[in-house]
Amino acid sequence: MAIRIFFILILSGTATLFAQTTRPNIVFIMTDDHARRAVSAYDTALIRTPNIDRIGREGIIFHNAFVTNSICGPSRAVLLTGKYSHINGFRDNRSRFDGSQQTFPKILHAEGYYTAMIGKWHLVSEPVGFDYWNVLIDQGEYYNPDMIEMGDTIRREGYATTIITDLAIETLEKRRPQGQPFCIFVHQKAPHRNWMPDTTHFDLFNDRDVPMPSSFYDDYVGRSRAAREQDMRVEDMWLGYDLKLFLNEESDETGTGGKKTTDRPLRIEPSLQRLNAAQRKSWDGYYRPISEAFYREHPEGTALSKWKYQRYIKDYLRCIASVDDNVGRLLAYLEQKGLLDNTIIVYTSDQGFFLGEHGWYDKRFMYEPSLAIPLLMRFPPKIPAGTVSDAIALNLDFAPTLLQVAGVAPPADMQGKSLIPLFRNGKAKGWRKSMYYHYYEYPYGWHYVKKHYGVRTGRYKLIHFYNDNDEWELYDLKRDAGEMHNLYGQPKYDKTVKKLRKELMRLQATYGDTTAEEKP
Ligand code: SGN
Ligand code: CA
C-alpha cells in the first residue's frame, strides 16, 4: 500500500513537473512605431532585417495585421486586455491605465507563469501582474535612459535598444525560476521619434539615398479636412531635435533654416545633453560635418524637403538596424539555452508609421501605413515554417492567442480572437472579414489628427472623421493602395458605402462602442 501511494505521488509529481516544463514560454517583442515596410520580410526597398525576418520564415508572417487605435498607450492597453479602448478605458495618450482590471499577464501569472515586462510601458500607472518589471519613464530616452526597476529609478549607461535586450537576457538567465514557464515582454523604445541611432550604426545608408514615396508631395485634393489640417509633415520637422542639425540661430529649430547668419559657434540641441563624453564625441563626429555642409549648401524648396526626408528616414532605419541586431542576440540566447523551440516568439510594433507617405511622419490615421503592423511569429510545435497569412489579424487578438498557447481558456469578455486557427496554413473557416478602428486624441496632444472611426474589409475602407468636422472617406484598396482617391460621394459607390456603413454599425454594436460622437 505504502509503495503504491509512493508511486502515485511520484507519478503525479512527474506529471505536474512535465506539464510545467513543457508549457510553452512566450517572448513578446514589440517595437515602438515600426512601419511594416521597414521589415524586409514585407518589403526589401528600405532595409534588411534578417533576424526579424527569420521569425516569420521559420514561422508565420501576417500580411494584414492591424491595430484598433494607432497610438502608443492605447495600443499597449489593447495588448494587455484584449479589449477595445472604449472598454479598457485607455483612449489616448493622456489616459491612465487602470491596473486593477483583468490583463492576460495577470492571468498567466495566476496560472503559474513567471511574467516580466521590460522597456517601454507608457501606461502611466505602475505595471501590475509581473514578477519583474523594469520600464522606461514615459517615452524613455535613447541614450543612458532612466528606468524604473520595481519602483526604483536607476540610470542605465548605454543605448536603450541594447540595454532592454540585455535586461531581457539577464532576466531569463538569472531572475526567472528554472522549471517554470515564462512570459516576457521586450518592449523597445526604438524607432520612436526623435530617431537617435546608436553610435555603432552611423555608417549605414551613407552611400545611397532612400527612395521617397510617390505621395510625398500629396496635395490632399478630394480628401477630408483631417488629411489637410494635420501637423505631421516631414517638411515641418524640427531641424535640431528631429534632424540633428547643430543650430546656428534659435529660429533654426522650427524654421526652414538654410543660411548661417552669424559666426556664432553651432550649438547642439538640448535633448542631446544626456550623452556621455564618448557618445558625444562619436555623435559630433558624425553629425557636425552634416550640419556644416547644410549651412554651406543652404538647401531650399524641394532640395530642402529632400534633405529633410533623407535625414529623417536614415536615422529611423538606423534605429531599426539596432533593433534587428538585438532580436538576433535574443534569438541566439534562446537557441543556445535550448529554449527556442518551446517558446512562441512574437515580433510586432505598437502601431505602424508614415515613412513619408502623404508627406508625413507619425501615425494616428486609419490609413494603411499607420494602421498596419508587422506581425511575425515563430512556434514550431504549432506553426509550420514558411506559413503566410492574409487573414485580418488585430492587436486585440494577442491576449486570447497567447492565453490559448499557454493552455488557458481566454475569458469570454475579451474581444479579440485567438489566432491559433491560422497557425496551420494561414487560413481559417469563418474568420473575420472586416475590422473596426477608433482613434480619439484630438484636439489636444500632438499632430492634430481629428477623431475618427471606420471599417476596413479586404478591399475597402470607410472612415468617418467627426468632432469638429463631419466627413467621410472611402478607399478601394485594390485599385488605390496608396489611398489617394476618396470615392465617398460618387454615386457609383453608393451601394458599397451603404454596405460598409451597415458593417460599421454591426461592429460598433458587437464591440459595444457607443463613444462615437456622431453615428453614421
Ligand atoms: C511624442 C512625440 C510625438 C508622438 C507622441 C506619441 N513627440 O510626444 O511626435 O506622436 O510621442 O507617440 S516628441 O517630441 O516627444 O518626440 S506614441 O508612440 O507614444 O504614441
Ligand atoms: Ca508608438
Side-chain angles (χ1 to χ4, degrees):
M1 185 65 180
I3 289 176
R4 233 179 100 194
I5 289 171
F6 177 73
F7 267 113
I8 289 169
L9 280 177
I10 292 218
L11 282 176
S12 61
T14 320
T16 321
L17 193 70
F18 182 75
Q20 279 187 359
T21 48
T22 52
R23 275 199 286 171
N25 306 303
I26 299 166
V27 173
F28 190 89
I29 309 169
M30 188 159 80
T31 34
D32 194 358
D33 298 357
H34 192 171
R36 188 173 61 185
R37 71 185 187 96
V39 174
S40 49
Y42 291 97
D43 191 334
T44 52
L46 295 179
I47 190 174
R48 296 280 164 180
T49 50
N51 296 299
I52 299 170
D53 294 3
R54 178 186 170 193
I55 298 171
R57 197 177 56 246
E58 296 177 1
I60 185 167
I61 177 162
F62 289 90
H63 283 274
N64 284 302
F66 307 112
V67 289
T68 56
N69 182 0
S70 180
I71 185 157
C72 190
S75 167
R76 288 158 205 269
V78 170
L79 157 69
L80 294 178
T81 61
K83 293 175 184 168
Y84 268 91
S85 309
H86 61 274
I87 305 280
N88 70 44
F90 203 109
R91 292 192 202 170
D92 60 43
N93 277 347
R94 297 190 316 174
S95 310
R96 180 187 176 87
F97 188 67
D98 170 10
S100 70
Q101 68 185 299
Q102 168 186 281
T103 65
F104 87 91
K106 277 190 191 171
I107 299 174
L108 286 178
H109 186 260
E111 293 283 339
Y113 268 71
Y114 173 79
T115 53
M117 167 62 68
I118 295 164
K120 187 160 174 185
W121 171 248
H122 206 199
L123 289 171
V124 188
S125 56
E126 271 196 356
V128 181
F130 303 99
D131 290 290
Y132 177 73
W133 53 273
N134 194 342
V135 298
L136 294 167
I137 300 170
D138 190 33
Q139 294 287 0
E141 303 282 349
Y142 273 109
Y143 280 87
N144 315 322
D146 287 321
M147 294 185 72
I148 312 179
E149 181 180 30
M150 310 285 286
D152 293 330
T153 304
I154 299 169
R155 179 184 157 114
R156 306 262 166 186
E157 203 71 5
Y159 188 66
T161 310
T162 311
I163 291 168
I164 290 164
T165 310
D166 284 346
L167 285 168
I169 293 173
E170 193 182 297
T171 300
L172 295 180
E173 183 66 14
K174 299 192 187 139
R175 293 189 185 92
R176 83 180 161 101
Q178 300 293 318
Q180 201 179 334
F182 60 82
C183 171
I184 185 168
F185 296 82
V186 187
H187 286 189
Q188 295 294 357
K189 171 194 173 57
H192 191 273
R193 193 182 183 190
N194 63 342
W195 317 292
M196 291 171 73
D198 195 352
T199 52
T200 48
H201 289 90
F202 290 148
D203 55 344
L204 294 178
F205 309 108
N206 286 321
D207 55 344
R208 64 179 171 103
D209 272 354
V210 179
M212 244 170 158
S214 57
S215 63
F216 188 82
Y217 296 107
D218 195 350
D219 56 10
Y220 317 114
V221 166
R223 271 156 289 153
S224 63
R225 271 174 54 215
R228 288 195 301 278
E229 293 176 9
Q230 42 56 45
D231 176 24
M232 47 195 266
R233 292 185 60 81
V234 173
E235 290 183 327
D236 299 328
M237 274 180 168
W238 297 347
L239 291 176
Y241 178 70
D242 289 319
L243 304 175
K244 329 299 183 312
L245 200 72
F246 284 58
L247 299 175
N248 172 217
E249 295 284 352
E250 203 69 55
S251 58
D252 285 354
E253 178 59 309
T254 52
T256 49
K259 289 190 182 113
K260 190 167 189 293
T261 51
T262 72
D263 287 328
R264 274 195 285 143
L266 295 176
R267 289 173 299 107
I268 200 155
E269 207 276 328
S271 73
L272 301 179
Q273 305 297 351
R274 273 194 95 78
L275 273 63
N276 64 31
Q279 293 162 343
R280 185 61 197 274
K281 189 162 176 249
S282 176
W283 187 273
D284 290 3
Y286 181 69
Y287 288 99
R288 183 175 271 276
I290 291 176
S291 302
E292 282 161 359
F294 180 87
Y295 285 112
R296 221 173 25 247
E297 292 155 18
H298 54 82
E300 282 169 12
T302 42
L304 180 59
S305 311
K306 283 183 183 160
W307 183 88
K308 285 186 171 180
Y309 182 71
Q310 294 303 325
R311 285 258 24 119
Y312 156 51
I313 195 73
K314 288 183 181 182
D315 279 348
Y316 177 90
L317 295 174
R318 288 173 183 131
C319 291
I320 290 172
S322 170
V323 166
D324 191 67
D325 291 351
N326 279 287
V327 167
R329 277 207 306 134
L330 191 53
L331 293 179
Y333 170 80
L334 294 168
E335 200 155 23
Q336 185 204 334
K337 296 290 166 178
L339 292 166
L340 192 61
D341 288 350
N342 192 35
T343 297
I344 180 165
I345 297 163
V346 181
Y347 185 89
T348 192
S349 170
D350 66 340
Q351 345 85 200
F353 212 67
F354 290 98
L355 301 180
E357 297 91 348
H358 308 288
W360 299 335
Y361 64 103
D362 214 68
K363 50 266 175 173
R364 300 159 192 271
F365 278 107
M366 198 193 165
Y367 302 138
E368 292 293 278
S370 62
L371 179 71
I373 44 171
L375 179 58
L376 310 97
M377 295 182 185
R378 185 188 187 282
F379 187 45
K382 287 255 160 55
I383 308 176
T387 309
V388 175
S389 182
D390 289 325
I392 295 178
L394 302 176
N395 61 339
L396 195 68
D397 302 330
F398 291 144
T401 305
L402 296 172
L403 284 176
Q404 220 190 338
V405 165
V408 181
D413 62 350
M414 284 191 174
Q415 297 180 308
K417 283 175 192 263
S418 165
L419 298 167
I420 292 181
L422 300 168
F423 283 1
R424 204 172 56 86
N425 64 3
K427 296 187 181 93
K429 249 190 154 169
W431 193 254
R432 70 163 73 84
K433 299 221 162 12
S434 66
M435 62 83 58
Y436 178 65
Y437 182 87
H438 199 160
Y439 168 85
Y440 301 85
E441 194 173 287
Y442 185 84
Y444 39 81
W446 291 75
H447 306 299
Y448 303 108
V449 174
K450 294 181 195 293
K451 293 184 192 228
H452 58 289
Y453 56 85
V455 56
R456 186 201 190 282
T457 63
R459 175 148 184 191
Y460 293 101
K461 188 184 290 180
L462 181 71
I463 313 175
H464 184 209
F465 293 94
Y466 70 96
N467 193 230
D468 67 359
N469 69 335
D470 173 10
E471 288 171 287
W472 292 83
E473 293 183 355
L474 170 72
Y475 296 100
D476 178 347
L477 300 168
K478 196 171 158 197
R479 294 210 176 130
D480 176 26
E483 296 162 304
M484 299 293 285
H485 307 288
N486 176 17
L487 305 171
Y488 190 85
Q490 294 188 17
K492 131 167 172 217
Y493 290 97
D494 282 355
K495 251 196 177 153
T496 309
V497 167
K498 213 168 154 198
K499 266 205 204 141
L500 289 167
R501 281 175 91 141
K502 202 168 152 205
E503 179 61 3
L504 190 55
M505 283 196 283
R506 187 188 70 81
L507 292 170
Q508 286 182 332
T510 305
Y511 296 123
D513 187 7
T514 53
T515 58
E517 287 179 25
E518 289 177 32
K519 289 283 177 191

Short mmCIF file of all heavy atoms in Angstrom, two decimals, residues 413-451:
data_model
loop_
_atom_site.label_atom_id
_atom_site.label_comp_id
_atom_site.label_asym_id
_atom_site.label_seq_id
_atom_site.Cartn_x
_atom_site.Cartn_y
_atom_site.Cartn_z
N ASP A 413 -15.06 37.81 -21.87
CA ASP A 413 -15.19 39.25 -22.13
C ASP A 413 -14.04 39.83 -22.97
O ASP A 413 -14.05 41.01 -23.30
CB ASP A 413 -15.38 40.04 -20.82
CG ASP A 413 -14.20 39.92 -19.88
OD1 ASP A 413 -13.31 39.07 -20.14
OD2 ASP A 413 -14.15 40.66 -18.89
N MET A 414 -13.05 39.02 -23.31
CA MET A 414 -12.01 39.52 -24.22
C MET A 414 -12.62 39.63 -25.61
O MET A 414 -13.38 38.76 -26.03
CB MET A 414 -10.80 38.59 -24.24
CG MET A 414 -9.94 38.77 -23.01
SD MET A 414 -8.35 37.93 -23.15
CE MET A 414 -7.57 38.50 -21.64
N GLN A 415 -12.28 40.71 -26.31
CA GLN A 415 -12.95 40.96 -27.59
C GLN A 415 -12.19 40.46 -28.81
O GLN A 415 -12.73 40.48 -29.91
CB GLN A 415 -13.22 42.46 -27.72
CG GLN A 415 -14.16 42.98 -26.64
CD GLN A 415 -14.41 44.47 -26.77
OE1 GLN A 415 -13.48 45.26 -26.84
NE2 GLN A 415 -15.67 44.87 -26.79
N GLY A 416 -10.96 40.03 -28.61
CA GLY A 416 -10.19 39.52 -29.73
C GLY A 416 -10.47 38.03 -29.96
O GLY A 416 -11.22 37.41 -29.21
N LYS A 417 -9.84 37.51 -31.01
CA LYS A 417 -9.98 36.08 -31.31
C LYS A 417 -8.60 35.46 -31.26
O LYS A 417 -7.63 36.08 -31.70
CB LYS A 417 -10.44 35.90 -32.77
CG LYS A 417 -11.88 36.17 -33.04
CD LYS A 417 -12.06 36.07 -34.57
CE LYS A 417 -13.40 36.59 -34.98
NZ LYS A 417 -14.43 35.64 -35.17
N SER A 418 -8.55 34.22 -30.81
CA SER A 418 -7.27 33.53 -30.84
C SER A 418 -6.83 33.33 -32.29
O SER A 418 -7.62 32.91 -33.14
CB SER A 418 -7.37 32.18 -30.14
OG SER A 418 -6.25 31.40 -30.47
N LEU A 419 -5.56 33.61 -32.57
CA LEU A 419 -5.03 33.44 -33.93
C LEU A 419 -4.61 32.00 -34.21
O LEU A 419 -4.20 31.68 -35.33
CB LEU A 419 -3.82 34.38 -34.14
CG LEU A 419 -4.10 35.89 -34.02
CD1 LEU A 419 -2.78 36.67 -33.94
CD2 LEU A 419 -4.93 36.39 -35.20
N ILE A 420 -4.71 31.15 -33.20
CA ILE A 420 -4.23 29.78 -33.36
C ILE A 420 -4.82 29.06 -34.59
O ILE A 420 -4.09 28.37 -35.30
CB ILE A 420 -4.42 28.96 -32.07
CG1 ILE A 420 -3.47 29.52 -31.00
CG2 ILE A 420 -4.16 27.46 -32.28
CD1 ILE A 420 -3.52 28.80 -29.68
N PRO A 421 -6.12 29.22 -34.88
CA PRO A 421 -6.64 28.54 -36.08
C PRO A 421 -5.90 28.91 -37.37
O PRO A 421 -5.96 28.17 -38.36
CB PRO A 421 -8.10 29.00 -36.15
CG PRO A 421 -8.44 29.44 -34.77
CD PRO A 421 -7.17 29.92 -34.14
N LEU A 422 -5.21 30.04 -37.37
CA LEU A 422 -4.49 30.46 -38.58
C LEU A 422 -3.07 29.88 -38.64
O LEU A 422 -2.38 30.02 -39.65
CB LEU A 422 -4.40 31.99 -38.63
CG LEU A 422 -5.73 32.75 -38.66
CD1 LEU A 422 -5.51 34.24 -38.41
CD2 LEU A 422 -6.43 32.55 -40.00
N PHE A 423 -2.65 29.26 -37.55
CA PHE A 423 -1.25 28.82 -37.47
C PHE A 423 -0.92 27.72 -38.50
O PHE A 423 0.20 27.63 -38.97
CB PHE A 423 -0.93 28.30 -36.06
CG PHE A 423 -0.70 29.39 -35.03
CD1 PHE A 423 -0.81 30.73 -35.36
CD2 PHE A 423 -0.37 29.06 -33.71
CE1 PHE A 423 -0.60 31.73 -34.42
CE2 PHE A 423 -0.16 30.06 -32.76
CZ PHE A 423 -0.27 31.38 -33.12
N ARG A 424 -1.90 26.89 -38.80
CA ARG A 424 -1.59 25.71 -39.64
C ARG A 424 -1.25 26.09 -41.08
O ARG A 424 -0.22 25.72 -41.62
CB ARG A 424 -2.74 24.71 -39.60
CG ARG A 424 -2.31 23.29 -39.92
CD ARG A 424 -3.46 22.32 -39.68
NE ARG A 424 -4.64 22.70 -40.46
CZ ARG A 424 -4.85 22.34 -41.71
NH1 ARG A 424 -3.96 21.59 -42.34
NH2 ARG A 424 -5.95 22.72 -42.35
N ASN A 425 -2.11 26.92 -41.69
CA ASN A 425 -1.81 27.30 -43.09
C ASN A 425 -2.23 28.75 -43.41
O ASN A 425 -2.36 29.11 -44.57
CB ASN A 425 -2.45 26.32 -44.08
CG ASN A 425 -3.97 26.37 -44.00
OD1 ASN A 425 -4.52 27.19 -43.25
ND2 ASN A 425 -4.63 25.54 -44.76
N GLY A 426 -2.42 29.54 -42.38
CA GLY A 426 -2.72 30.95 -42.60
C GLY A 426 -4.19 31.25 -42.85
O GLY A 426 -4.57 32.41 -42.98
N LYS A 427 -5.00 30.18 -42.94
CA LYS A 427 -6.43 30.38 -43.23
C LYS A 427 -7.27 29.73 -42.14
O LYS A 427 -6.84 28.75 -41.54
CB LYS A 427 -6.80 29.70 -44.55
CG LYS A 427 -6.11 30.29 -45.75
CD LYS A 427 -6.68 29.63 -47.01
CE LYS A 427 -6.01 30.16 -48.25
NZ LYS A 427 -4.89 29.39 -48.72
N ALA A 428 -8.48 30.25 -41.95
CA ALA A 428 -9.41 29.59 -41.04
C ALA A 428 -10.82 29.89 -41.49
O ALA A 428 -11.13 31.03 -41.86
CB ALA A 428 -9.20 30.09 -39.61
N LYS A 429 -11.63 28.86 -41.47
CA LYS A 429 -13.03 29.00 -41.89
C LYS A 429 -13.75 29.98 -40.98
O LYS A 429 -13.57 29.95 -39.77
CB LYS A 429 -13.71 27.63 -41.78
CG LYS A 429 -14.04 27.04 -43.11
CD LYS A 429 -14.93 25.85 -42.92
CE LYS A 429 -15.76 25.63 -44.16
NZ LYS A 429 -16.43 24.36 -44.10
N GLY A 430 -14.57 30.84 -41.58
CA GLY A 430 -15.38 31.74 -40.77
C GLY A 430 -14.59 32.87 -40.13
O GLY A 430 -15.07 33.52 -39.21
N TRP A 431 -13.34 33.08 -40.56
CA TRP A 431 -12.51 34.14 -39.96
C TRP A 431 -13.11 35.51 -40.26
O TRP A 431 -13.80 35.68 -41.26
CB TRP A 431 -11.07 34.04 -40.49
CG TRP A 431 -10.15 34.90 -39.67
CD1 TRP A 431 -9.60 36.09 -40.04
CD2 TRP A 431 -9.69 34.64 -38.33
NE1 TRP A 431 -8.84 36.59 -39.01
CE2 TRP A 431 -8.87 35.72 -37.95
CE3 TRP A 431 -9.91 33.60 -37.41
CZ2 TRP A 431 -8.26 35.81 -36.70
CZ3 TRP A 431 -9.30 33.68 -36.16
CH2 TRP A 431 -8.49 34.77 -35.82
N ARG A 432 -12.82 36.52 -39.45
CA ARG A 432 -13.40 37.86 -39.63
C ARG A 432 -13.05 38.42 -41.02
O ARG A 432 -11.94 38.19 -41.53
CB ARG A 432 -12.94 38.81 -38.53
CG ARG A 432 -11.49 39.20 -38.58
CD ARG A 432 -11.21 40.45 -37.72
NE ARG A 432 -11.23 40.25 -36.28
CZ ARG A 432 -10.20 39.81 -35.55
NH1 ARG A 432 -9.06 39.52 -36.13
NH2 ARG A 432 -10.31 39.67 -34.24
N LYS A 433 -13.99 39.15 -41.59
CA LYS A 433 -13.78 39.72 -42.93
C LYS A 433 -13.66 41.23 -42.88
O LYS A 433 -13.55 41.90 -43.91
CB LYS A 433 -14.95 39.33 -43.84
CG LYS A 433 -15.12 37.83 -44.02
CD LYS A 433 -15.45 37.50 -45.45
CE LYS A 433 -15.23 36.07 -45.87
NZ LYS A 433 -14.99 35.07 -44.86
N SER A 434 -13.73 41.77 -41.67
CA SER A 434 -13.62 43.23 -41.54
C SER A 434 -13.06 43.55 -40.16
O SER A 434 -13.07 42.70 -39.26
CB SER A 434 -15.01 43.86 -41.67
OG SER A 434 -15.81 43.45 -40.57
N MET A 435 -12.54 44.77 -40.03
CA MET A 435 -12.06 45.19 -38.71
C MET A 435 -12.55 46.60 -38.41
O MET A 435 -12.83 47.39 -39.30
CB MET A 435 -10.53 45.12 -38.63
CG MET A 435 -9.72 45.99 -39.56
SD MET A 435 -9.44 47.72 -39.07
CE MET A 435 -8.61 47.58 -37.50
N TYR A 436 -12.65 46.88 -37.10
CA TYR A 436 -13.16 48.17 -36.62
C TYR A 436 -12.03 48.97 -35.96
O TYR A 436 -11.20 48.41 -35.24
CB TYR A 436 -14.28 47.92 -35.61
CG TYR A 436 -14.84 49.18 -35.01
CD1 TYR A 436 -15.51 50.11 -35.81
CD2 TYR A 436 -14.70 49.46 -33.65
CE1 TYR A 436 -16.01 51.29 -35.27
CE2 TYR A 436 -15.21 50.63 -33.10
CZ TYR A 436 -15.87 51.53 -33.93
OH TYR A 436 -16.36 52.71 -33.38
N TYR A 437 -12.04 50.26 -36.22
CA TYR A 437 -10.99 51.16 -35.75
C TYR A 437 -11.61 52.40 -35.10
O TYR A 437 -12.64 52.89 -35.57
CB TYR A 437 -10.16 51.60 -36.97
CG TYR A 437 -9.00 52.51 -36.65
CD1 TYR A 437 -7.77 51.97 -36.30
CD2 TYR A 437 -9.12 53.90 -36.70
CE1 TYR A 437 -6.69 52.79 -36.00
CE2 TYR A 437 -8.05 54.72 -36.41
CZ TYR A 437 -6.83 54.16 -36.06
OH TYR A 437 -5.77 54.97 -35.76
N HIS A 438 -10.96 52.90 -34.04
CA HIS A 438 -11.44 54.16 -33.45
C HIS A 438 -10.28 54.90 -32.78
O HIS A 438 -9.65 54.39 -31.86
CB HIS A 438 -12.55 53.89 -32.42
CG HIS A 438 -13.38 55.09 -32.11
ND1 HIS A 438 -14.62 55.02 -31.56
CD2 HIS A 438 -13.15 56.42 -32.30
CE1 HIS A 438 -15.13 56.24 -31.39
NE2 HIS A 438 -14.24 57.10 -31.84
N TYR A 439 -10.05 56.13 -33.25
CA TYR A 439 -8.96 56.98 -32.74
C TYR A 439 -9.54 58.23 -32.09
O TYR A 439 -10.44 58.86 -32.65
CB TYR A 439 -8.03 57.36 -33.90
CG TYR A 439 -7.05 58.46 -33.55
CD1 TYR A 439 -5.83 58.16 -32.92
CD2 TYR A 439 -7.33 59.80 -33.82
CE1 TYR A 439 -4.96 59.17 -32.58
CE2 TYR A 439 -6.45 60.81 -33.48
CZ TYR A 439 -5.26 60.49 -32.85
OH TYR A 439 -4.38 61.49 -32.51
N TYR A 440 -8.98 58.64 -30.95
CA TYR A 440 -9.61 59.71 -30.15
C TYR A 440 -8.77 60.96 -29.86
O TYR A 440 -9.32 61.94 -29.36
CB TYR A 440 -9.97 59.16 -28.76
CG TYR A 440 -10.92 58.00 -28.73
CD1 TYR A 440 -10.47 56.69 -28.87
CD2 TYR A 440 -12.28 58.20 -28.51
CE1 TYR A 440 -11.33 55.61 -28.79
CE2 TYR A 440 -13.16 57.12 -28.43
CZ TYR A 440 -12.68 55.83 -28.57
OH TYR A 440 -13.55 54.78 -28.49
N GLU A 441 -7.47 60.94 -30.06
CA GLU A 441 -6.64 62.02 -29.49
C GLU A 441 -6.73 63.34 -30.26
O GLU A 441 -5.88 63.64 -31.11
CB GLU A 441 -5.18 61.58 -29.35
CG GLU A 441 -4.38 62.53 -28.46
CD GLU A 441 -2.97 62.06 -28.13
OE1 GLU A 441 -2.85 61.14 -27.34
OE2 GLU A 441 -2.01 62.60 -28.70
N TYR A 442 -7.73 64.10 -29.99
CA TYR A 442 -7.95 65.39 -30.63
C TYR A 442 -8.95 66.18 -29.81
O TYR A 442 -9.88 65.56 -29.26
CB TYR A 442 -8.50 65.18 -32.05
CG TYR A 442 -8.67 66.45 -32.84
CD1 TYR A 442 -7.59 67.00 -33.52
CD2 TYR A 442 -9.89 67.13 -32.86
CE1 TYR A 442 -7.73 68.19 -34.22
CE2 TYR A 442 -10.04 68.31 -33.57
CZ TYR A 442 -8.95 68.84 -34.24
OH TYR A 442 -9.09 70.01 -34.93
N PRO A 443 -8.84 67.49 -29.66
CA PRO A 443 -7.88 68.39 -30.29
C PRO A 443 -6.61 68.62 -29.49
O PRO A 443 -5.79 69.44 -29.85
CB PRO A 443 -8.68 69.70 -30.38
CG PRO A 443 -9.60 69.66 -29.20
CD PRO A 443 -9.86 68.20 -28.92
N TYR A 444 -6.42 67.90 -28.38
CA TYR A 444 -5.22 68.04 -27.57
C TYR A 444 -4.14 67.11 -28.12
O TYR A 444 -4.41 66.32 -29.02
CB TYR A 444 -5.54 67.71 -26.11
CG TYR A 444 -6.50 66.54 -26.02
CD1 TYR A 444 -6.03 65.24 -26.13
CD2 TYR A 444 -7.87 66.75 -25.93
CE1 TYR A 444 -6.91 64.17 -26.10
CE2 TYR A 444 -8.76 65.68 -25.91
CZ TYR A 444 -8.27 64.39 -25.99
OH TYR A 444 -9.13 63.33 -25.98
N GLY A 445 -2.97 67.17 -27.50
CA GLY A 445 -1.91 66.24 -27.89
C GLY A 445 -1.16 66.70 -29.12
O GLY A 445 -1.21 67.87 -29.50
N TRP A 446 -0.51 65.78 -29.75
CA TRP A 446 0.39 66.08 -30.85
C TRP A 446 -0.28 65.84 -32.20
O TRP A 446 -1.10 64.96 -32.34
CB TRP A 446 1.62 65.18 -30.79
CG TRP A 446 2.51 65.49 -29.63
CD1 TRP A 446 2.29 65.18 -28.31
CD2 TRP A 446 3.76 66.17 -29.68
NE1 TRP A 446 3.33 65.63 -27.55
CE2 TRP A 446 4.26 66.22 -28.36
CE3 TRP A 446 4.53 66.73 -30.72
CZ2 TRP A 446 5.48 66.83 -28.04
CZ3 TRP A 446 5.75 67.31 -30.41
CH2 TRP A 446 6.21 67.36 -29.07
N HIS A 447 0.15 66.58 -33.17
CA HIS A 447 -0.09 66.29 -34.60
C HIS A 447 -1.51 66.51 -35.12
O HIS A 447 -1.75 66.37 -36.31
CB HIS A 447 0.40 64.88 -34.97
CG HIS A 447 1.84 64.65 -34.59
ND1 HIS A 447 2.85 65.42 -35.11
CD2 HIS A 447 2.43 63.78 -33.73
CE1 HIS A 447 4.01 65.01 -34.58
NE2 HIS A 447 3.77 64.03 -33.74
N TYR A 448 -2.43 66.87 -34.25
CA TYR A 448 -3.77 67.31 -34.67
C TYR A 448 -4.46 66.44 -35.70
O TYR A 448 -4.90 66.90 -36.75
CB TYR A 448 -3.71 68.78 -35.13
CG TYR A 448 -3.17 69.65 -34.04
CD1 TYR A 448 -1.90 70.20 -34.12
CD2 TYR A 448 -3.92 69.84 -32.89
CE1 TYR A 448 -1.39 70.95 -33.07
CE2 TYR A 448 -3.42 70.59 -31.84
CZ TYR A 448 -2.15 71.13 -31.93
OH TYR A 448 -1.65 71.86 -30.90
N VAL A 449 -4.52 65.17 -35.39
CA VAL A 449 -5.28 64.27 -36.25
C VAL A 449 -6.68 64.16 -35.66
O VAL A 449 -6.84 63.78 -34.50
CB VAL A 449 -4.60 62.88 -36.35
CG1 VAL A 449 -5.49 61.91 -37.13
CG2 VAL A 449 -3.23 63.03 -37.02
N LYS A 450 -7.67 64.48 -36.47
CA LYS A 450 -9.04 64.53 -35.95
C LYS A 450 -9.55 63.14 -35.55
O LYS A 450 -9.12 62.13 -36.10
CB LYS A 450 -9.96 65.15 -37.00
CG LYS A 450 -9.63 66.62 -37.25
CD LYS A 450 -10.57 67.22 -38.27
CE LYS A 450 -10.04 68.54 -38.81
NZ LYS A 450 -10.01 69.62 -37.80
N LYS A 451 -10.49 63.15 -34.61
CA LYS A 451 -11.08 61.88 -34.15
C LYS A 451 -11.72 61.17 -35.34
O LYS A 451 -12.34 61.83 -36.18
CB LYS A 451 -12.18 62.16 -33.13
CG LYS A 451 -11.70 62.73 -31.83
CD LYS A 451 -12.85 62.87 -30.85
CE LYS A 451 -12.40 63.71 -29.68
NZ LYS A 451 -12.72 63.14 -28.39
#
